Amino acid sequence: MISLVGVSRTFKTRRGRVDALEEVDLKIGEGEFVAVIGRSGCGKSTLLRIIAGLLPATSGQVLVDDAVVGKPRKDVALMFQRPALLPWRSVLANVMLPAEIMNLPRAPHLERAHRLLATVGLTNFEKRLPHELSGGMQQRVALCRALLAQPRILLMDEPFSALDALTREELAVELQKIHATLRPTTVFVTHSIQEAVLLADRVVVLSPRPGRVREILDVRIPRPRSFSHNAHLDEVAACSAELRELLLA
């Protein structure tokens, strides 16, 4: 599905050259959920933007189904740290924005928008404006917007980082359910060990700058996962501890 082959990225600044990524090789399968984790400044967000076609690699290449990614693709959706909702549009109108931009048929996408909002518990908020919503509700709207056009690939750049811990865990649980149903191939950038363990099939651990693949950890814990008391709590704790050791090494 997604292949990264020798991906490196260098930035030129007034102070000289900054090597953000170096020789990153990675394969991500269809429908897989992969988290990318690492210290601040290790190139996580840069890597995501290269996969999205928003930023060229200095060397190496990204392929989707053996086609080289050189620009943004219509079957790829992005979700960022901030929901970036249009303040003058209602919740429903914000979710419908991709259909308008891509000139997609309105009726089926309007029905899909209603279903997505119902899935994240926002049925009664469709006519509200963004400023009337909490931060967690705004990110739910942004998630619905990202999923409206049924993307094959969903790229998420620390989408829950600005939220409180409880809301983050609630959204992580909801995202697990959505991914289990819709199965988009998902790359989720985070600095949170907790989010990585809750969400991912595999966790890619990047080294400090320049970012290289230090380790890829398989998360074989049955779903759904949570940090509440359950039968898999010991496995969640063990996986979290292993990731912590990798990040501190």
Side-chain angles (χ1 to χ4, degrees):
M1 176 58 172
I2 304 175
S3 298
L4 284 74
V5 183
V7 170
S8 300
R9 175 68 199 194
T10 299
F11 294 97
K12 293 182 179 179
T13 70
R14 292 181 180 179
R15 297 184 179 182
R17 162 179 165 151
V18 175
D19 295 320
L21 296 168
E22 185 173 86
E23 294 292 323
V24 174
D25 294 308
L26 180 63
K27 290 187 179 295
I28 301 171
E30 184 92 37
E32 190 175 13
F33 197 120
V34 171
V36 179
I37 194 169
R39 296 287 190 102
S40 295
C42 72
K44 301 186 297 296
S45 295
T46 297
L47 185 65
L48 201 73
R49 281 159 174 75
I50 292 173
I51 296 173
L54 297 175
L55 187 69
T58 304
S59 61
Q61 58 185 5
V62 176
L63 301 99
V64 173
D65 295 335
D66 299 322
V68 176
V69 175
K71 61 181 181 180
R73 296 169 52 106
K74 289 185 177 180
D75 59 353
V76 177
L78 285 89
M79 188 174 173
F80 298 105
Q81 291 181 21
R82 303 291 179 183
L85 303 178
L86 298 179
W88 59 88
R89 293 178 69 114
S90 69
V91 164
L92 182 60
N94 267 288
V95 174
M96 284 293 292
L97 188 61
E100 296 175 20
I101 292 173
M102 291 187 276
N103 198 28
L104 302 174
R106 178 174 172 79
H109 286 86
L110 184 60
E111 182 181 346
R112 180 172 173 79
H114 287 305
R115 289 201 309 270
L116 287 167
L117 287 168
T119 299
V120 299
L122 292 178
T123 297
N124 296 326
F125 294 86
E126 293 183 349
K127 296 181 180 180
R128 299 285 185 91
L129 293 174
H131 76 268
E132 299 178 284
L133 308 179
S134 67
M137 293 166 76
Q138 289 184 27
Q139 278 297 48
R140 287 178 170 92
V141 176
L143 177 59
C144 292
R145 181 180 60 190
L147 294 170
L148 182 73
Q150 302 183 65
R152 291 183 64 208
I153 299 171
L154 179 60
L155 306 177
M156 309 181 79
D157 189 3
E158 300 191 54
F160 308 148
S161 62
L163 306 175
D164 64 85
L166 183 58
T167 302
R168 290 175 70 164
E169 185 170 349
E170 289 174 348
L171 283 174
V173 171
E174 288 185 10
L175 183 56
Q176 286 183 70
K177 295 175 182 176
I178 289 171
H179 185 263
T181 302
L182 303 179
R183 301 299 297 173
T185 302
T186 304
V187 184
F188 187 97
V189 165
T190 182
H191 62 265
S192 167
I193 292 173
Q194 177 177 350
E195 285 179 354
V197 174
L198 284 179
L199 292 167
D201 299 312
R202 291 188 297 155
V203 181
V204 178
V205 181
L206 294 185
S207 66
R209 184 186 299 158
R212 307 180 186 90
V213 176
R214 168 174 281 175
E215 191 77 42
I216 300 178
L217 180 67
D218 289 323
V219 184
R220 303 186 184 277
I221 303 168
R223 299 180 186 274
R225 303 170 189 159
S226 77
F227 273 85
S228 303
H229 289 289
N230 58 66
H232 311 295
L233 188 59
D234 289 344
E235 297 168 77
V236 170
C239 189
S240 299
E242 186 173 354
L243 278 175
R244 189 170 287 105
E245 288 179 8
L246 287 168
L247 289 170
L248 293 173

